[in-house]
Amino acid sequence: MTRELTEITVVGGDETGLIARVTSLLFERGINIEGLDQAVRDGVFRMTTRVDTAEMTTSRGELRRALAELGRDLDVDIQVRFPSDRDARRVALLVTKETHVPEAMLEAEANGELAEDGEAEIPVVIGNRGDLRSLAERYGKPFYDVGDGSGNTDEGRLLDLLAEYDVDLIALARYMRILSPEVVFRYEGRIVNVHPSLLPAFPGAEAYRQAKDAGVRISGVTSHYVTTDLDQGPVIAQRAFDVPDGASVEEIKRRGQPLEAEVLLEAVRLHLADAIAVHRGTVHVREGTDAEPDLGLPAAASEANPDEPVDGEPLTRPDPPTPGSD
């Protein structure tokens, strides 16, 4: 039997009986609930329901209208994401000032390398400042500045644009603003970020400076899913680099920045290929995937790591020389 997995997200106030009202509406229309998750953060309630609509007794349009009417009645926002009929997946690029990551992402799309199968596009670039408008326009992309001039984001406008362009994934390409639960809850599991440290070390701002101040000898960058906890979402992939003795913050940046684009692109490709899944807060590679994940150190570096000793097992040592053998 063919399944038609659909995602329904409810965001708003924590109303009594809300879950029962939504699930009853679905049951009455022959929709089978496959999974349900809920959370509350900063007074915002979120419920994500994954359902099978393959044998529902209504049309997609009628279900949308019924859920929208229920949302108005409960004063919550209800979004429905049916399986897309589009071939290409849509990735919204969120940016601020730095060009190295968004330019690499746009170049990858131009070369058909944004997804393993080439079926992905960046339909829009959205900034909380206007600095990268010319970069977006150079690649023929519409650019929207949703900031207030000081970097604060009009999240209502941001949500309108994400809905207008019907995005499947949001890539934070050095987007220097924390997203509120109002955004994260609506796109949970579909926002990827790149952070300039080996998380969980050095979360938050000025990660390269934090690395210098801590005197680390190895640092790196991390791609991860975004949650409402700053820089604590499930890790997807990481890259590491050496920090020379006495390296300045600028030198550490020069070593890390090329890897930022690489690791974010890896996260986007894995997500679009449906090659990874989050289980109990940890990203796992799906069995049987055709993708070849590059999650950490390159093969040469991994092979150079010693594989002994192991607790509980003796070291393998050469036999002692036979007396008089020399």
Side-chain angles (χ1 to χ4, degrees):
M1 181 184 298
T2 302
R3 298 165 74 206
E4 188 175 88
L5 294 180
T6 297
E7 183 179 278
I8 299 171
T9 304
V10 181
V11 178
D14 191 3
E15 295 286 336
T16 302
L18 187 154
I19 296 175
R21 294 280 300 276
V22 174
T23 55
S24 294
L25 185 151
L26 299 175
F27 176 78
E28 290 165 0
R29 289 160 176 78
I31 297 170
N32 185 49
I33 296 175
E34 302 267 332
L36 188 152
D37 181 63
Q38 60 179 308
V40 178
R41 186 63 184 263
D42 297 337
V44 180
F45 170 82
R46 184 268 301 161
M47 181 178 78
T48 301
T49 309
R50 291 170 180 84
V51 302
D52 183 2
T53 53
E55 304 208 359
M56 66 180 179
T57 58
T58 187
S59 67
R60 288 187 175 190
E62 194 282 328
L63 178 61
R64 286 188 188 276
R65 287 190 292 272
L67 287 170
E69 183 179 339
L70 178 60
R72 288 191 293 271
D73 186 35
L74 295 172
D75 195 24
V76 296
D77 178 48
I78 302 180
Q79 294 184 355
V80 185
R81 289 185 57 82
F82 290 102
S84 177
D85 294 328
R86 291 183 277 106
D87 291 329
R89 281 67 45 84
R90 294 177 176 173
V91 182
L93 215 57
L94 268 60
V95 302
T96 298
K97 289 183 175 182
E98 296 184 14
T99 62
H100 58 288
V101 177
E103 186 165 14
M105 298 291 291
L106 289 164
E107 189 66 20
E109 186 227 26
N111 295 331
E113 298 171 350
L114 191 61
E116 294 288 341
D117 59 6
E119 298 294 336
E121 62 178 338
I122 298 172
V124 64
V125 180
I126 304 172
N128 62 321
R129 295 181 182 273
D131 299 60
L132 300 193
R133 183 182 300 277
S134 60
L135 173 65
E137 291 175 347
R138 192 189 334 147
Y139 283 87
K141 304 298 180 183
F143 178 88
Y144 298 90
D145 178 3
V146 297
D148 65 354
S150 300
N152 299 309
T153 302
D154 180 347
E155 289 195 339
R157 176 63 172 145
L158 172 60
L159 288 169
D160 287 344
L161 288 168
L162 295 174
E164 178 183 339
Y165 283 91
D166 192 20
V167 302
D168 300 293
L169 181 67
I170 301 168
L172 306 186
R174 300 300 284 136
Y175 178 74
M176 307 304 290
R177 181 61 58 180
I178 297 172
L179 295 174
S180 79
E182 292 285 351
V183 177
V184 175
F185 278 168
R186 286 171 169 81
Y187 290 90
E188 195 156 20
R190 293 190 287 126
I191 309 174
V192 293
N193 184 40
V194 58
H195 184 74
S197 79
L198 291 175
L199 291 173
F202 315 134
E206 301 286 344
Y208 288 131
R209 180 171 296 280
Q210 291 184 60
K212 173 179 170 50
D213 292 344
V216 298
R217 298 303 186 185
I218 296 176
S219 190
V221 299
T222 301
S223 60
H224 66 97
Y225 283 112
V226 173
T227 66
T228 52
D229 295 311
L230 178 62
D231 294 331
Q232 294 183 42
V235 169
I236 300 170
Q238 296 182 304
R239 300 287 187 273
F241 59 88
D242 284 330
V243 179
D245 185 40
S248 66
V249 174
E250 288 306 314
E251 171 61 19
I252 297 173
K253 281 184 179 180
R254 279 194 295 273
R255 288 171 175 254
Q257 284 183 339
L259 301 177
E260 292 174 18
E262 180 182 321
V263 80
L264 182 61
L265 185 56
E266 177 71 4
V268 168
R269 286 172 174 161
L270 289 172
H271 180 94
L272 294 179
D274 199 26
I276 52 178
V278 179
H279 179 63
R280 295 183 177 178
T282 304
V283 170
H284 299 272
V285 178
R286 294 184 188 274
E287 292 185 8
T289 180
D290 293 330
E292 298 180 0
D294 186 6
L295 302 180
L297 290 174
S302 296
E303 291 167 3
N305 285 333
D307 57 7
E308 294 185 288
V310 177
D311 287 348
E313 297 183 14
L315 280 172
T316 302
R317 299 185 184 277
D319 294 333
T322 303
S325 60
D326 16 287

